[in-house]
Amino acid sequence: MALIVQKYGGTSVGNIERIRNVARRVGKTSGAGNQVVVVLSAMSGETNKLVGLTQEAAEFPLGREYDVVISTGEQVTVGLLAIILNEMGYRAKSFLGHQVPIVTDSQFGSARIESIGTDKMAEELKKGSIVVVAGFQGMDGQGNITTLGRGGSDTTAVALAAALKADLCEIYTDVEGVYTTDPNICSDARKLKKVSYDEMLEMASLGAKVLQTRSVEFAKKYEIPVMVRSSFTDAEGTLVCKEDSEMEKVVVSGITYNKSEAKISVLRVPDRPGIAAKLFRPLTEDGINVDMIVQNISHDAHTDLTFTVSNSDYKKALKLIKEKTAAEIGAEEVVGDPNIAKVSIVGAGMRSHAGIASQMFEVLAKEGINIQMISTSEIKISCVIDVKYTELAVRVLHESFGLGNNEVVEEKE
Ligand code: ASP
Ligand code: MG
């Protein structure tokens, strides 16, 4: 008997018929003698709708109340699945985040899980019940409802798997796994059998929307094997797991892109110690995450700083810097550009292979695509480009690194 955590995303629970389909899958796993904990998202589109309502209510809605509203989509789906499972003759019980409890910090809208109480779930599992938990939500130390950031049900699932010491965490979605790139852009994108936690971490944070980044951090930390697969087919998915020697042979495993970032440039700042600290501290204090940062070499004791933030924070960040920080640090001008995209190549094999960056830059140059910013880690290279070239860049990179279906990926020794 195994303990399995299964998470179903928004499209998999998009209507009653689909929730019935989920119930059949869950029932089959349970019927095979496994203990099953199910984590659900809200019906597809529901959370966006709820976010929209809060924005209609106020330009900057209060964080605490924002979470009260946007966490409700999951309450509906867990209740419905539990009803259907019971109707089908299984024992099943739903739990909201605070009923588990899943305790988080108080960063509304992007709370982090601090602890999970497993007693109630264990008790239900012992009775032979299927436990159905609302994804995405938790409760802080004061009993306020919190949410874990968009896509946060993945993190709920992996965190529950870690807390319950589950044997496997399955993430059911509307695609069959993790692909070499977005199949909507490259029709020859290939499904990967396995990716390492580190590669998945880069892919997730770079915009492959299949898993929330934080869920992969959890999986890596607690070494939870995560299987990403489709709830609509029986096709084998992609296993996210520890790196093995096979993975290192593949230099580039995937091409990702992210259109949901914006660029802010702070121009002609007097180049003194402490400038960066003064610029970024207020953003951090407001819970705004800064991604890439580039500072130019100074001319006549002045420098330019450019950084990116997510689109959802763009207006807030621009306002903060224009109205407060710019004057404090003596910047002459602040300009923003939301029309950018970040295109990245990721692969564990980059650690041991040279020349990958220059190949990427050459491929983009040949298409006349200007690179505005560059950032690298051990296993990825990202370039910020004009958003209108995103698809072209992804396509030419996918081809140049031999990732298409028809190409045999050479084993480079
Ligand atoms: N319903 C939430 C969202 O749309 C959480 C999730 O689906 O993972 O972001
Ligand atoms: Mg998701």
Side-chain angles (χ1 to χ4, degrees):
M1 183 173 69
L3 172 53
I4 300 176
V5 175
Q6 296 187 330
K7 178 256 169 178
Y8 292 88
T11 29
S12 303
V13 295
N15 57 44
I16 293 290
E17 199 33 58
R18 288 185 175 180
I19 298 177
R20 277 212 179 91
N21 172 50
V22 166
R24 281 191 286 272
R25 276 188 184 265
V26 171
K28 212 164 122 190
T29 311
S30 160
N34 300 298
Q35 294 186 317
V36 190
V37 174
V38 186
V39 174
L40 297 185
S41 290
M43 290 183 179
S44 53
E46 193 55 33
T47 311
N48 284 345
K49 211 162 88 190
L50 294 165
V51 169
L53 287 174
T54 66
Q55 285 167 344
E56 257 181 65
E59 193 184 356
F60 298 111
L62 265 183
R64 181 186 186 277
E65 308 311 331
Y66 174 82
D67 278 356
V68 167
V69 177
I70 70 164
S71 61
T72 55
E74 276 73 9
Q75 179 163 350
V76 174
T77 50
V78 290
L80 289 171
L81 179 65
I83 291 173
I84 292 172
L85 282 168
N86 278 287
E87 175 77 12
M88 289 165 90
Y90 298 98
R91 288 175 78 120
K93 195 167 179 177
S94 71
F95 288 90
L96 298 179
H98 68 88
Q99 292 173 315
V100 171
I102 296 173
V103 181
T104 71
D105 64 16
S106 302
Q107 191 65 249
F108 297 111
S110 57
R112 285 181 167 269
I113 297 177
E114 287 179 341
S115 65
I116 293 178
T118 52
D119 292 355
K120 278 192 224 160
M121 289 186 292
E123 198 182 306
E124 287 303 320
L125 290 171
K126 225 169 76 190
K127 281 193 238 161
S129 290
I130 295 164
V131 171
V132 186
V133 180
F136 185 48
Q137 49 174 267
M139 169 187 82
D140 72 3
Q142 285 72 255
N144 300 305
I145 291 172
T146 55
T147 62
L148 308 180
R150 296 307 305 273
S153 307
D154 297 334
T155 299
T156 306
V158 179
L160 285 180
L164 291 162
K165 302 192 170 53
D167 299 287
L168 177 65
C169 181
E170 293 180 309
I171 304 281
Y172 284 93
T173 174
D174 50 2
V175 292
E176 287 186 359
V178 181
Y179 284 75
T180 50
T181 194
D182 182 350
N184 295 316
I185 294 184
C186 292
S187 55
D188 62 348
R190 209 161 28 85
K191 184 168 67 186
L192 296 162
K193 264 194 151 58
K194 267 191 198 176
V195 279
S196 72
Y197 292 124
D198 285 329
E199 287 174 316
M200 195 61 232
L201 218 41
E202 292 287 5
M203 290 189 196
S205 61
L206 295 172
K209 292 181 211 87
V210 63
L211 284 177
Q212 197 198 32
T213 307
R214 220 173 279 162
S215 71
V216 190
E217 288 170 0
F218 255 103
K220 181 182 171 183
K221 187 163 166 199
Y222 297 100
E223 292 192 5
I224 309 286
V226 176
M227 180 61 108
V228 179
R229 56 190 304 184
S230 166
S231 67
F232 300 102
T233 72
D234 284 322
E236 222 177 283
T238 300
L239 187 67
V240 187
C241 57
K242 261 172 88 166
E243 188 170 325
D244 59 34
S245 56
E246 280 301 300
M247 292 174 175
E248 232 186 289
K249 292 183 186 159
V250 184
V251 183
V252 175
S253 308
I255 315 286
T256 62
Y257 66 95
N258 185 355
K259 292 183 179 181
S260 58
E261 282 191 21
K263 187 176 79 168
I264 296 177
S265 300
V266 186
L267 306 177
R268 286 196 59 80
V269 189
D271 198 3
R272 281 192 303 260
I275 288 299
K278 275 202 186 117
L279 180 63
F280 293 116
R281 191 169 302 124
L283 296 174
T284 320
E285 281 167 3
D286 257 22
I288 298 172
N289 242 325
V290 173
D291 180 25
M292 287 162 101
I293 303 175
V294 172
Q295 179 177 359
N296 291 348
I297 293 176
S298 62
H299 294 277
D300 52 34
H302 285 71
T303 184
D304 299 335
L305 270 142
T306 301
F307 59 93
T308 62
V309 294
S310 92
N311 265 338
S312 56
D313 288 332
Y314 174 60
K315 271 203 275 176
K316 200 162 127 192
L318 196 61
K319 187 166 178 228
L320 191 69
I321 290 181
K322 271 195 173 155
E323 291 176 7
K324 268 179 67 187
T325 324
E328 272 166 34
I329 60 175
E332 274 179 22
E333 205 185 341
V334 181
V335 290
D337 180 5
N339 298 316
I340 59 155
K342 184 167 69 176
V343 176
S344 314
I345 62 178
V346 179
M350 273 189 220
R351 283 202 191 98
S352 46
H353 291 81
I356 310 304
S358 48
Q359 184 176 342
M360 178 178 196
F361 304 151
E362 274 159 26
V363 167
L364 296 177
K366 226 173 92 193
E367 299 298 327
I369 300 172
N370 186 40
I371 301 170
Q372 303 177 10
M373 296 169 88
I374 300 168
S375 83
T376 64
S377 81
E378 261 192 307
I379 62 162
K380 76 110 206 273
I381 305 162
S382 301
C383 295
V384 166
I385 58 171
D386 189 323
V387 70
K388 71 177 180 229
Y389 297 123
T390 314
E391 285 75 12
L392 174 63
V394 168
R395 254 182 238 126
V396 292
L397 289 168
H398 195 255
E399 199 192 322
S400 168
F401 287 103
L403 295 178
N405 238 336
N406 310 323
E407 328 233 358
V408 182
V409 180
E410 272 177 64
E411 298 208 340
K412 295 185 184 124
E413 297 301 327

